[in-house]
Structures are given as C-alpha cells and as structure tokens.
Amino acid sequence: MRAVFSTILLSSLGSTVLWLLLVPDFAARTHSDGLVGLLGMERQVLGVVGALLVGVWADRGLVHRKFALLQAMQLAMAAVFLLSAWVDAAGPGFILVWTALRFALVGASSILAYRMLADVSGSNSQGAVLQMVTSPQGAMVFAAVICAAVPAWTADTLVVALVFDIAASLVVMASLMASRQKADEGTFGFDWRNVLGRGADAVKSYWLPELWPWNLVQIGFLASLSGMMVYASVLAERQDLVPTGMAFSGAWFFYGLAFWVTAPLLRDPARAWRWALVFAGALTACGTVSAVAGGTAFAVHMALYVVLTFVNAYWIHFTNARILGPAPAGRIGQVRASMVFYLGVVFGLGEQFVGLVLETSSGLLLLDLLHVTGGVALACALLVIRTRTGRALVPAG
C-alpha cells in the first residue's frame, strides 16, 4: 500500500506544481484576468468531465495498466508543451487547449487512483481518505513550498514546471511497472460508442439508495463551505500584513495541510462522528467570530480561513467515507466520479456566487451567515441520523 500511496502522490504533485507555476506565467503572458479565469474554469470543468468519462472504465479492472496509460499520455503532453515553449510557439490559444486536455487526464487519473487505493487498502472508506490525501488538493501542501522556491531560483518557471511534470510521470510509470501486482482481470478497451451514456450513469450513481442520506448531507456541506478560494483571494489582496502573493500561496499551503492533519481523525468510527460535530461547531463559531470582528480585521479573517480549511478537509474526508463505505463494489468508480461531479458543480457555482457576494458592502456578513447556518444544519443532521440509526438497531420487543 505504501508504494501505491507514494506513486499516486507523486503523480498528483507533478500536475499540481505544473498548475501553480502555469497560472502566473499565463497571467504575465496575456495580462488578462478574463483569460486567467477561463484557464481556471477549464481546469475545473474538464477535470470533472475526465472523471465522468472513466467512472465505468475504472470499474472494469486492469486499473494499474489504465493508470499507467494516462501517465504516459500526460508525459507526452508535457513534452509537446516543452518543445513548443522552446520554439516560442506556445501562445495563449495553445495553452488554453493544452490545459483543457491535460486536466481532463488529471480528473480521469483521480478516479483510477481511488480504485487502486480502495483495492490495496481493502476498504472503500479508507481508500477515499487516502485518495484525498494523495489528490492534487492534498499534494498542495508540498507543491506550494516547491512553487514558492522555484521563482527565487530561476525565471524560467514554466520550463521547470514542465520538466518536473515529465520527471514525475517517468518515475510513476517506472514504479507501476516495477511493482508486482496480483493478477488483474478485466477489460482494457475504452468503448467510445456510449461515452455519454456512461457519463450519465456515473452522475446518477450519486443517488443510489445505499448512499442515502449522506449524499444529501454532503451536498449541504459543500454549499455551506463554497467560495474558499475567493475568500482567500480577497483577504490576500486587501490585507497589508504580508505580500499578496505570499498570503495567497499560504492559503494553498494550509488547504493541502488540512487534508493530511485531519485524515488520522477518522480511524475510530465513534470518535470520527464526534469530530464531525466538533468541526460543525467550528464552522458556526467561525461565522460568528467573523461577524463580530467586522470586515476590516484582516488578521482575524486570515486565522479564520486557516480554521475553515480544516473544517473543509475533515468534512470532505468524513462524508466521502460515509458515502463510499456502503457503495456497491462493482460501481465504486462510478460513485467516486459522481462525487467529483457534484463537488465541482457546487464548489464551482459557489465560487462564483461568493465572489459576487463579496463585491457588495454586506457581502462578508452574508458569508458569515452562510457559515453559521451551515454549521448548525450539519450538527442537526448528525444528531438526527444518529438518533434514527440508534432506534433502527434496537431489537423488536
């Protein structure tokens, strides 16, 4: 399991370092906030599309070979981009198209990575926790440090990012070929004839009866914690305690760190439930403190943002484990793809909504009310579910 864990983490680290260094380079090339926003939207949307496309494919076996194939495709794309950069042919249009294809592969890889971790750990729930730690979100804790150091070393940051991505893909492929896996049966063919139907099946898998009511609880959690990156961006721009770039990079660092720190809290199921209540209370407390502090107390808001990253990470771990635990063994790839879809939709719309709200004079107060309401709702949902579960376990008579 340690070898698979390290392999997937390295794969995520390659794509995450590439992304964090690509964005500022693209912004400097285009001098257009609109194009930078389009680049970010492509990453989110195409990542979800890639996940949906391989949901059924991941459930058909030969997962290690399929993951290696996607790594080879990512390596080839990085090599093409590097060659284009050397001959000065990588214009904005090329970068936008390349980013769309590259992060569709990242989204697809995440579903195969989950299947690998679930298989090797022997638990759908544990696989979900491990996959989030090794995902691009979890890899952010290391990528943020690397990306903060690269500009101080060289001005050719994009070249360094592409070389790093190529090296990571090579090591991952070598690791997959060197590892001795049990006989893995299944179908390797992708079957392009019914791509839309398989994507629709993955989307619908989120609402399987076995996943109730945690699927609905997760949707509520995602809505109550939407807009985290917009919140971080606004704080980084308006505060004057540290340089804006350092403040925003620090936000990404804590976002990744939170997934690592909160993962061990789910080892004991009973304690995991209590921790969920604690973090729901922390969400309510953050909204209350923020409302009392006001919109100009940026030091307070920066501290609250750090706390919210831990709330966000724990509740992602907690609800992922609760949803994937009872998921049918033959459909866990599709269920995981559906979770990526709904997370992308809710968080994507939430970023836009919170961004518009924060432009108004009372925007921060509305965000505080969202956090307070979300924390109370999550705590109530936990108490109701526990009460009903306890009643259901009492023997008749």
Side-chain angles (χ1 to χ4, degrees):
M1 186 172 72
R2 185 177 301 175
V4 174
F5 181 93
S6 301
T7 298
I8 294 172
L9 177 60
L10 181 59
S11 173
S12 297
L13 189 60
S15 62
T16 306
V17 168
L18 173 64
W19 172 251
L20 292 183
L21 292 177
L22 173 63
V23 172
D25 182 88
F26 185 74
R29 288 169 183 256
T30 61
H31 303 287
S32 170
D33 292 338
L35 287 177
V36 173
L38 178 59
L39 192 76
M41 184 184 71
E42 282 188 341
R43 174 176 174 264
Q44 293 288 342
V45 173
L46 270 298
V48 170
V49 170
L52 290 178
L53 289 178
V54 302
V56 175
W57 197 48
D59 288 332
R60 292 180 175 174
L62 302 177
V63 181
H64 283 77
R65 296 185 188 181
K66 293 171 181 177
F67 190 79
L69 173 63
L70 295 186
Q71 289 299 309
M73 295 171 67
Q74 293 177 54
L75 186 153
M77 290 193 65
V80 169
F81 197 165
L82 185 60
L83 179 61
S84 300
W86 274 340
V87 300
D88 199 24
F94 172 87
I95 294 175
L96 287 170
V97 173
W98 185 90
T99 299
L101 296 175
R102 177 65 175 81
F103 285 94
L105 292 176
V106 172
S109 296
S110 70
I111 305 305
L112 293 170
Y114 167 69
R115 284 253 27 174
M116 290 168 62
L117 288 166
D119 291 343
V120 76
S121 67
S123 167
N124 293 351
S125 299
Q126 186 176 359
V129 176
L130 294 174
Q131 197 270 328
M132 287 307 304
V133 171
T134 57
S135 69
Q137 293 93 331
M140 201 70 71
V141 64
F142 305 107
V145 176
I146 294 172
C147 294
V150 169
W153 171 50
T154 178
D156 296 325
T157 56
L158 182 58
V159 172
V160 172
L162 291 167
V163 171
F164 187 92
D165 191 33
I166 290 172
S169 295
L170 285 172
V171 174
V172 168
M173 292 171 62
S175 175
L176 289 171
M177 288 187 290
S179 62
R180 296 180 179 179
Q181 301 296 328
K182 296 180 180 180
D184 189 9
E185 299 180 355
T187 303
F188 193 81
F190 188 75
D191 185 13
W192 291 94
R193 291 172 296 177
N194 192 27
V195 171
L196 293 178
R198 286 189 284 123
D201 288 341
V203 171
K204 292 185 290 186
S205 296
Y206 192 78
W207 303 108
L208 290 173
E210 298 95 318
L211 313 184
W212 181 264
W214 292 106
N215 46 11
L216 191 59
V217 172
Q218 186 174 70
I219 290 290
F221 144 68
L222 294 174
S224 64
L225 265 168
S226 293
M228 288 287 289
M229 284 299 103
V230 174
Y231 183 39
S233 178
V234 170
L235 293 179
E237 291 177 359
R238 296 181 184 176
Q239 57 82 39
D240 55 4
L241 301 173
V242 296
T244 300
M246 185 182 296
F248 191 63
S249 297
W252 285 103
F253 172 81
F254 285 108
Y255 193 82
L257 178 65
F259 284 101
W260 287 79
V261 172
T262 57
L265 301 179
L266 284 93
R267 290 176 179 172
D268 186 326
R271 291 182 179 178
W273 198 288
R274 291 195 291 270
W275 276 113
L277 279 171
V278 169
F279 281 107
L283 178 58
T284 300
C286 284
T288 304
V289 172
S290 178
V292 173
T296 58
F298 293 110
V300 174
H301 286 291
M302 291 172 72
L304 292 175
Y305 170 82
V306 173
V307 175
L308 288 172
T309 61
F310 286 86
V311 175
N312 174 74
Y314 184 82
W315 266 87
I316 285 179
H317 282 320
F318 183 72
T319 54
N320 281 357
R322 289 297 184 280
I323 291 172
L324 288 165
R331 298 188 65 175
I332 60 172
Q334 298 170 64
V335 173
R336 185 71 187 111
S338 72
M339 294 166 69
V340 172
F341 170 78
Y342 287 102
L343 184 147
V345 170
V346 176
F347 266 15
L349 294 177
E351 293 285 358
Q352 181 68 69
F353 172 76
V354 172
L356 294 174
V357 165
L358 290 177
E359 289 182 350
T360 66
S361 58
S362 58
L364 191 57
L365 180 59
L366 293 175
L367 184 61
D368 297 337
L369 291 175
L370 178 63
H371 291 161
V372 171
T373 304
V376 172
L378 291 176
C380 291
L382 285 174
L383 295 174
V384 169
I385 292 171
R386 169 169 280 187
T387 301
R388 290 183 176 178
T389 303
R391 289 175 180 173
L393 295 176
V394 176

